[in-house]
Amino acid sequence: MSRPYEVMIIVDADLDEETIRAAVERWLQLIESRGAERGYVDFWGKRRLAYEIKHKAEGYYVVLQARAEPQAMEELHRTLSLADEVIRHMVLRIPEKVYGPPATAGSSGGRARE
């Protein structure tokens, strides 16, 4: 059964945006090839990290959603774990009611841009 997931990925901020977007597209195609359905994708951009990770003080944040079988998301997790450009990532199974774009992009619901 297909379930909703949210994935937060922190990519090396030293890479240019075109390279980051191409990598995200590759990861989406990977899960789509395993039957997943692409959902909302949000490129947050460069943010200062709370603490250095792999000697980096900044990361480029990307949040994406997908409906997928658990096996597809396990494969994405494995791929992101091995990707040199990924500083950190987290794959979460989310409730159906929070799947999709934020209700109001301008609100301070945790996803608003500063």
Side-chain angles (χ1 to χ4, degrees), residues 55-67:
H55 307 291
K56 303 284 181 185
E58 267 192 341
Y60 190 104
Y61 284 69
V62 179
V63 177
L64 61 92
Q65 293 182 345
R67 288 188 195 282

Side-chain angles (χ1 to χ4, degrees), residues 71-88:
Q71 301 87 326
M73 298 315 278
E74 287 167 16
E75 180 63 21
L76 178 63
H77 170 68
R78 189 185 77 75
T79 300
L80 294 174
S81 297
L82 297 172
D84 290 335
E85 65 268 33
V86 176
I87 297 173
R88 277 279 198 283

